[in-house]
Amino acid sequence: ELLDNWLTCQSTWQYLEPIFSSPDILKQMPEEGDKFNQVDTTWRDLMEAAHATPSVLTLAKDPERLARLEEANKLLEEIQKGLAAYLELKRLAFPRFFFLSNDEMLEILSETKDPTRVQPHLKKCFEGIDKLQFQPNTDITGMMSVEGELVPLKSRIRPSDANGAVEKWLVQVEAGMIESVQEVCSQGIAAYASNPRTQWVLQWPGQVVLAVSAIYWTQEVAAAMEGKAPDGSAAGKGGKGALTAVAERCTAQLGEVVELVRGELSNLNRLVLMVTMGVHHLRSVCRAMIST
């Protein structure tokens, strides 16, 4: 019984000791921190006594040792329950934390003064974000994909204003991600009409290129079916002839992209263009509508 309690205390203490060595964790969980300090004192006293008197029989005959270990294990169980409740609150405040393990969350929460500690875990929380762009003062100004594609944030995020509450500024990152993608898509829509498409596809993130291309294709198809020009003005009778013209434009655009891919491009631009070539199904949709 003594050895069972001793081994249980040892394994739990080894797991919790690095956690409660962090001043940030102690600040956020003062009650559990006090309990762990009690256990830590007990554990160190017992180990020092065992080192001084390594006789198994002598240690086993000490009834107080078993009582102290049982009390320590009871406190450790309470600490683990408190820790689980604490992590649950953090996950409820920022649900994307459910994608992280307890150990990964504790690594972030134990270094709240350093916002960059979230960087290794961002890909689990945000599928398209590899890292955030931090300024020297820790302000966040942009999002980067694993390919190195940068989308600037519309509004600067200041983690220092959250006073160590990581979940608060990560909620701001989530909202800023949506706001910024919407903003850059709006800018891409405006730029599409005033720039040659061969230049435009190289100036915007891949997601914007795909979304805006689909928007304009939908507009052109709807206009063709209604007998209107893409800008909404009257253009004669619509129907298969107009849809054929849209399909031909899709083919021409695809050809232009192929020529660009064959030229000298950065790896990022080449990747964006390869993704853009994947929208050839739009041409296939036009052909399917023509044939029906």
Side-chain angles (χ1 to χ4, degrees):
E1 189 176 358
L2 175 68
L3 287 176
D4 287 343
N5 278 277
W6 203 321
L7 290 172
T8 300
C9 185
Q10 180 184 36
S11 61
T12 310
W13 177 87
Q14 285 180 322
Y15 172 69
L16 294 175
E17 196 273 337
I19 297 171
F20 287 96
S21 295
S22 166
D24 286 344
I25 294 293
L26 290 174
K27 183 179 178 181
Q28 297 172 71
M29 303 181 66
E31 183 179 346
E32 285 76 11
D34 290 341
K35 289 180 180 179
F36 184 79
N37 286 336
Q38 295 177 44
V39 174
D40 187 62
T41 301
T42 298
W43 174 254
R44 293 181 187 277
D45 289 346
L46 290 173
M47 293 305 295
E48 287 174 2
H51 184 267
T53 310
S55 171
V56 175
L57 293 177
T58 302
L59 295 172
K61 291 177 182 178
D62 184 1
E64 182 183 349
R65 190 180 306 275
L66 176 58
R68 294 183 69 186
L69 282 170
E70 288 176 338
E71 178 62 24
N73 284 331
K74 181 180 178 182
L75 288 173
L76 288 171
E77 187 176 345
E78 293 174 1
I79 292 168
Q80 287 184 301
K81 288 181 179 179
L83 185 61
Y86 168 73
L87 294 179
E88 183 69 14
L89 286 174
K90 295 294 183 181
R91 288 185 169 113
L92 292 175
F94 181 62
R96 289 174 186 258
F97 272 155
F98 281 104
F99 296 128
L100 302 181
S101 68
N102 287 351
D103 290 343
E104 289 170 329
M105 281 189 63
L106 288 168
E107 181 181 342
I108 295 172
L109 298 171
S110 64
E111 294 289 345
T112 57
K113 293 180 181 178
D114 183 8
T116 61
R117 292 295 292 268
V118 306
Q119 296 277 47
H121 310 292
L122 280 171
K123 284 184 285 189
K124 286 189 175 182
C125 294
F126 301 94
E127 184 177 1
I129 300 179
D130 181 57
K131 62 181 68 174
L132 296 172
Q133 185 182 58
F134 283 92
Q135 298 304 312
N137 64 349
T138 72
D139 284 1
I140 303 170
T141 55
M143 309 171 289
M144 295 185 69
S145 69
V146 68
E147 297 83 11
E149 192 173 61
L150 174 66
V151 175
L153 289 175
K154 184 178 179 181
S155 304
R156 179 179 290 238
I157 296 172
R158 295 179 170 83
S160 57
D161 292 344
N163 296 319
V166 180
E167 68 280 5
K168 288 185 178 179
W169 64 262
L170 281 175
V171 167
Q172 293 177 335
V173 169
E174 183 177 28
M177 171 186 69
I178 297 170
E179 178 188 45
S180 300
V181 170
Q182 289 175 340
E183 176 69 13
V184 76
C185 280
S186 297
Q187 294 172 355
I189 291 171
Y192 187 94
S194 57
N195 291 276
R197 194 172 189 276
T198 51
Q199 295 179 15
W200 178 84
V201 293
L202 299 176
Q203 297 170 345
W204 298 92
Q207 186 176 359
V208 175
V209 172
L210 290 174
V212 176
S213 295
I215 290 171
Y216 272 89
W217 174 84
T218 303
Q219 179 179 318
E220 290 179 6
V221 170
M225 296 176 70
E226 294 175 359
K228 299 178 181 178
D231 62 2
S233 60
K237 188 176 180 179
K240 292 186 178 182
L243 286 173
T244 299
V246 174
E248 291 173 350
R249 278 197 295 274
C250 288
T251 300
Q253 290 173 352
L254 188 60
E256 291 171 351
V257 171
V258 170
E259 289 301 317
L260 285 175
V261 171
R262 290 174 177 170
E264 293 185 6
L265 296 168
S266 66
N267 291 335
L268 179 58
N269 278 338
R270 189 175 302 279
L271 179 62
V272 171
L273 290 178
M274 293 299 291
V275 171
T276 304
M277 289 174 65
V279 300
H280 62 80
H281 67 278
L282 300 179
R283 178 184 59 180
S284 301
V285 173
C286 287
R287 288 176 175 173
M289 287 191 291
I290 293 168
S291 63
T292 57

